Amino acid sequence: MTVVRHSYFMTIRHVRELLRQPWWIAVTLVQPVIWLLLFGALFKNVVNIPGFNSTNYIEFLAPGVIVMTALFASGWGGMPLIDDIERGVTDRFLVSPVKRTALISGRLVHSSLTIAIQSVIIVVLALIDGAAFAGGFGGVVVMIAVAILLGASFGALSNGLALLARREETLIAIMNFVLLPLTFLSSAFMQQNLIPTWMQHVADFNPVNWAVVAGRSAVSANPDWGLIASRAGFLVALLLVCLAFATRAFRTYQRSV
Amino acid sequence: MWYKSTMLMESGTKIESSGAVVVEAMIEAEGLVKTYGKRDKAVRALGGLSFRARRGTVFALLGPNGAGKSTAVKILTTLTRPDEGQALVAGTDVVAYPDRVRRTIGVVSQGTGVDIQATGRENLRLQGQLYGMRGRRLEERASELLERFGLADAADRIARGYSGGMRRRLDIAMSLVHDPQVLFLDEPTTGLDPEVRADMWDQIAALASEQDKTVLLTTHYLEEADQLAARVAIVDRGKVVAEGTPEELKSELRGDAVYVELAEPAVDGAVRDALAPIAGVREVAVDGRALRARAEDGGRAVPSVLQALEARGIEVLSVRVARPSLDDVYLRYAGRTFQEAESEETEVKK
Ligand SMILES: Nc1ncnc2c1ncn2[C@@H]1O[C@H](COP(=O)(O)OP(=O)(O)O)[C@@H](O)[C@H]1O
Ligand SMILES: [Mg+2]
């Protein structure tokens, strides 16, 4: 299929770009570690709160940090597209037979690979710290997969916004406005029944929380597969909406150039 | 003939049998209209632009910044759509069948489209892959183009380190990777050093002589259109105001330009009256203290012009006589100088 082939060519291009920037690789690898250690130390005593069900905060935190990493990596995913637009690269592609979807999906596959690698690092660190991940290997795979689903959705959203805004400042403003609140309006750092009631209700509609809840359940001793399937389903639906938005954004972009 | 607005057509200098034109036209634009933005911010980039370029020739759109050249190229290359009008490339409608058109054309847009984080060869390879090329054939084609555009030594260096001229040559190499029938070059030499520009002219001329390639070139250098194009359309404010071979356009401008600097701003009508009786002096125009006119023989006209102005008490600071320039061609058809047009554009931008 042409779309798959074109996506593959674009993925190669983005991966190669990343591999040529050693300091950026370093940042990509170190950042999730810092988050895990920082939040781990900051909220260490949370386990002592009555009603908190886990004894190892790092184990509790790991799915949250994985999702947060995926969210942030993808939320900024539109920035390189703005670079491409400014350098005329996007316009060159748009007058070639390349599939529009491939221009987005190549970036999403690339960021998904990054998220997978970052997630594995976090899992390994958590294991070293004594996390059990009773759900086993399969559970860990599911946890990473839902994080990637969330990442792909926000990646598509960010790329679509990049095409509409075409200015880094605008994208930065929107993402600053969205990313942190979504992270904190979830159970990434705190058990959902221990956060304020209104936040619990908001969290139910928060895609970030869908990914955290599903991921955490998948690695637990007794995964709730019904819950996991429903949250994963929501995320797939969200991804489709975001992909449709990003693809349509090309049309709006082309009308304005 | 479906294009009515061009003066040369009206004067009957060049009329081809319409049957032949239909068969031979590789690029046809008819009544293209495009407006950017909405309501009070709206900018009309094209106001009914029409032209057609014949197979196997270089056709130039010549005009100042903001004339609408790039907009025309963007529509013809399927990047954006016209609000009105129709455009065909190799007989295919660009709005109805953009995918088919994209396979037929090569595009070098204004500015560059080089991925500066990849090497020259990687840029070419990806470009070829998007057109379905692969394997040995693609590698050989890439090497051949790198060689041809003098990039063989730099082929495996990251393009970030390329000079402006090298990036431009890589742009052109990329546009040729799939051997397109129709090539669009939007201001390919703007911003290049004069020597590099001359070199680029040779490359483009060589392209045009390749069998059956049709090239649409946009430029704001008259010399460039003169050197490279079989036919030139002068574009002003989104319309073609004149069209013909470079020779035809220049012959319309027989005679020299006379520039007179006045001590005081003068009234157009008064000056015109003063100079009207002088034989061989035409196209008198006054803008503040600048007086422009055309004369069969500039050197001989100057004394009479000075005398006539003096007789009316109009004081003169300096006089200059020049051979026809781009400004003159443009002034003749657009009714203002190139500089005026360009500065209007910058004011609009502000
Ligand atoms: N993407 C755009 N958005 C808004 N205005 C534009 C855009 N592109 C061009 N214009 C305006 O349309 C007019 C024609 O521009 P353009 O086609 O780039 O001219 P040229 O290539 O001859 O310099 C100019 O006034 C320009 O400012
Ligand atoms: Mg232009």
Side-chain angles (χ1 to χ4, degrees):
Chain A
M1 275 215 333
T2 323
V3 181
V4 176
R5 248 183 323 123
H6 288 178
S7 304
Y8 170 72
F9 298 142
M10 290 298 161
T11 306
I12 296 291
R13 171 179 176 237
H14 301 311
V15 171
R16 193 175 57 208
E17 230 163 71
L18 180 73
L19 293 181
R20 288 200 175 132
Q21 301 174 16
W23 62 269
W24 188 241
I25 298 178
V27 169
T28 306
L29 297 183
V30 169
Q31 194 178 43
V33 176
I34 291 178
W35 276 347
L36 187 73
L37 299 182
L38 215 65
F39 287 121
L42 187 64
F43 297 124
K44 200 178 171 63
N45 295 327
V46 164
V47 289
N48 300 328
I49 296 176
F52 197 88
N53 296 329
S54 182
T55 48
N56 183 330
Y57 184 64
I58 292 290
E59 173 164 6
F60 174 83
L61 183 64
V65 170
I66 285 173
V67 167
M68 183 179 174
T69 303
L71 178 70
F72 276 71
S74 311
W76 300 115
M79 300 292 275
L81 177 56
I82 294 180
D83 279 346
D84 267 4
I85 290 172
E86 281 170 356
R87 293 188 183 131
V89 177
T90 302
D91 287 357
R92 169 163 62 89
F93 289 148
L94 287 173
V95 297
S96 84
V98 74
K99 298 287 176 197
R100 271 66 187 142
T101 328
L103 294 181
I104 298 292
S105 57
R107 293 184 181 282
L108 299 187
V109 173
H110 165 239
S111 69
S112 300
L113 292 172
T114 312
I115 292 168
I117 293 170
Q118 291 174 316
S119 302
V120 168
I121 293 174
I122 294 168
V123 167
V124 169
L125 276 180
L127 286 172
I128 292 172
D129 194 69
F133 294 134
F137 182 75
V140 169
V141 170
V142 171
M143 171 174 69
I144 296 177
V146 289
I148 287 175
L149 269 182
L150 178 81
S153 305
F154 276 82
L157 182 71
S158 179
N159 279 293
L161 290 172
L163 285 167
L164 298 185
R166 284 156 68 180
R167 284 164 46 100
E168 298 200 336
E169 296 84 344
T170 313
L171 189 62
I172 290 172
I174 295 174
M175 285 303 156
N176 271 334
F177 187 73
V178 166
L179 296 182
L180 263 187
L182 282 184
T183 309
F184 285 104
L185 285 171
S186 80
S187 57
F189 306 113
M190 178 59 75
Q191 209 167 281
Q192 195 165 344
N193 58 9
L194 294 179
I195 61 178
T197 322
W198 71 269
M199 276 196 185
Q200 294 184 26
H201 293 309
V202 174
D204 283 336
F205 296 95
N206 178 356
V208 176
N209 199 47
W210 300 340
V212 173
V213 166
R216 195 169 280 147
S217 177
V219 294
S220 71
N222 301 303
D224 177 348
W225 290 109
L227 177 80
I228 295 168
S230 73
R231 296 306 180 265
F234 294 168
L235 288 170
V236 169
L238 178 69
L239 175 59
L240 293 178
V241 170
C242 291
L243 278 177
F245 163 71
T247 316
R248 282 200 71 95
F250 273 112
R251 249 179 271 175
T252 311
Y253 169 80
Q254 285 189 263
R255 219 173 298 134
S256 69
V257 288
Chain B
M1 300 298 290
W2 53 262
Y3 41 131
K4 310 163 203 97
S5 63
T6 67
M7 296 189 174
L8 288 170
M9 289 303 153
E10 282 166 7
S11 67
T13 322
K14 189 88 176 179
I15 291 183
E16 291 148 293
S17 90
S18 57
V21 171
V22 170
V23 177
E24 295 263 78
M26 279 300 266
I27 307 172
E28 308 178 56
E30 191 178 357
L32 294 180
V33 174
K34 173 90 182 171
T35 305
Y36 289 107
K38 289 201 176 74
R39 281 181 288 275
D40 49 325
K41 279 192 185 164
V43 178
R44 197 175 174 85
L46 295 181
L49 179 117
S50 303
F51 71 91
R52 49 174 59 182
R54 295 175 60 173
R55 177 193 289 275
T57 62
V58 178
F59 189 98
L61 294 178
L62 172 68
N65 278 333
K69 306 180 296 294
S70 294
T71 306
V73 170
K74 286 175 194 165
I75 290 170
L76 290 163
T77 59
T78 77
L79 183 60
T80 195
R81 286 158 169 256
D83 301 337
E84 284 170 44
Q86 199 189 22
L88 305 179
V89 172
T92 309
D93 189 305
V94 298
V95 174
Y97 305 102
D99 282 329
R100 228 185 281 167
V101 170
R102 285 173 190 140
R103 298 192 170 277
T104 323
I105 61 172
V107 186
V108 174
S109 54
Q110 195 175 345
T112 166
V114 169
D115 175 3
I116 58 167
Q117 313 203 62
T119 68
R121 193 186 302 280
E122 287 162 354
N123 266 287
L124 268 169
R125 193 181 288 139
L126 175 59
Q127 186 74 6
Q129 284 168 334
L130 299 182
Y131 288 89
M133 299 168 72
R134 59 170 90 188
R136 268 185 70 106
R137 191 171 141 251
L138 174 56
E139 293 306 316
E140 282 170 11
R141 179 70 177 155
S143 298
E144 175 198 328
L145 286 167
L146 288 162
E147 186 71 41
R148 172 166 165 192
F149 286 94
L151 293 166
D153 293 339
D156 298 305
R157 294 212 312 260
I158 305 287
R160 186 188 296 278
Y162 285 17
S163 68
M166 289 165 80
R167 286 186 198 181
R168 216 69 195 120
R169 294 204 299 273
L170 180 55
D171 275 319
I172 297 182
M174 280 194 283
S175 74
L176 291 172
V177 72
H178 56 298
D179 197 19
Q181 286 181 62
V182 183
L183 196 59
F184 291 87
L185 304 174
D186 194 359
E187 301 208 17
T189 67
T190 300
L192 299 182
D193 298 337
E195 313 94 79
V196 184
R197 176 176 307 152
D199 190 49
M200 190 68 80
W201 284 356
D202 294 341
Q203 299 274 12
I204 295 170
L207 279 176
S209 61
E210 261 185 37
Q211 238 196 336
D212 255 6
K213 251 192 224 324
T214 309
V215 179
L216 181 83
L217 170 83
T218 80
T219 179
H220 67 224
Y221 301 114
L222 179 66
E223 319 93 87
E224 187 161 295
D226 198 354
Q227 184 114 6
L228 297 173
R231 291 186 78 83
V232 177
I234 296 181
V235 183
D236 182 50
R237 302 185 232 224
K239 275 191 174 136
V240 173
V241 291
E243 203 226 277
T245 67
E247 287 66 37
E248 286 166 350
L249 290 173
K250 275 186 291 184
S251 68
E252 288 286 301
L253 284 174
R254 233 182 336 256
D256 300 328
V258 180
Y259 300 100
V260 182
E261 190 192 351
L262 305 173
E264 305 279 335
V267 183
D268 201 18
V271 173
R272 221 179 283 222
D273 291 346
L275 301 186
I278 307 174
V281 172
R282 308 173 263 130
E283 295 168 39
V284 178
V286 180
D287 179 14
R289 289 170 44 218
L291 186 167
R292 249 179 271 102
R294 185 155 300 286
E296 297 298 344
D297 183 337
R300 268 211 274 168
V302 167
S304 331
V305 168
L306 292 178
Q307 223 167 20
L309 291 174
E310 203 177 328
R312 300 264 175 143
I314 301 169
E315 202 185 325
V316 171
L317 291 183
S318 69
V319 182
R320 191 163 57 84
V321 175
R323 299 289 310 147
S325 67
L326 167 59
D327 238 4
D328 301 315
V329 178
Y330 186 74
L331 176 67
R332 165 84 162 74
Y333 293 108
R336 54 193 174 141
T337 66
F338 221 81
Q339 279 81 27
E340 280 164 5
E342 304 239 290
S343 63
E344 258 175 47
E345 166 67 10
T346 23
E347 270 161 35
V348 170
K349 283 246 164 83
K350 281 176 200 162

